[in-house]
Amino acid sequence: HFLYMALYPWCVTHEDTRILGLTGIGMGVVFYGLNHVTVGLESPMTQRGQGFSLFLTFKQMFGQLEYQANVREKCKLLLEANREGKTFEEMRAEMRAEMRAEMR
């Protein structure tokens, strides 16, 4: 990376010095960030358990999607119950009790 950044100003001869300086700083930040991410992914044991787990990532994502679908379904039932004449507090208490039971 260093060699590329060191030779970059000679490869681009028709740019202003300020543009080249800002571009060089920007490339340095990008390369530093990529290096930091790569080191973190390659050595998860030294990152106190913060390694990359594709299984865990998908499990959490689909868990959140399922939770959101359940909330939408409960809200739909809540609106239908409202049409049947139940009070909002009764419907809300029922919905919370059902959601707590599902989370256990």
Side-chain angles (χ1 to χ4, degrees):
H1 302 118
F2 177 75
L3 183 63
Y4 177 78
M5 287 183 59
L7 295 177
Y8 181 74
W10 286 276
C11 297
V12 184
T13 57
H14 302 294
E15 288 294 337
D16 185 37
T17 306
R18 290 174 290 198
I19 298 294
L20 287 175
L22 290 173
T23 304
I25 290 170
M27 286 191 308
V29 169
V30 168
F31 285 141
Y32 175 77
L34 288 174
N35 184 47
H36 185 70
V37 168
T38 304
V39 168
L41 291 176
E42 288 178 350
S43 58
M45 301 307 281
T46 61
Q47 302 296 322
R48 293 188 214 113
Q50 296 178 0
F52 181 73
S53 171
L54 190 59
F55 174 75
L56 182 59
T57 301
F58 278 110
K59 182 178 177 184
Q60 289 176 345
M61 181 185 71
F62 286 115
Q64 290 172 356
L65 289 174
E66 185 177 337
Y67 175 76
Q68 291 172 1
N70 286 339
V71 168
R72 280 192 296 274
E73 183 63 29
K74 297 295 180 188
C75 289
K76 178 181 167 188
L77 294 174
L78 185 69
L79 290 173
E80 289 172 359
N82 188 13
R83 290 184 189 128
E84 296 171 3
K86 290 185 181 178
T87 66
F88 180 74
E89 290 301 321
E90 291 172 342
M91 295 181 293
R92 187 172 143 217
E94 288 176 11
M95 187 175 92
R96 281 189 172 181
E98 290 173 7
M99 290 182 75
R100 283 190 195 121
E102 287 178 4
M103 293 182 82
R104 291 181 189 162

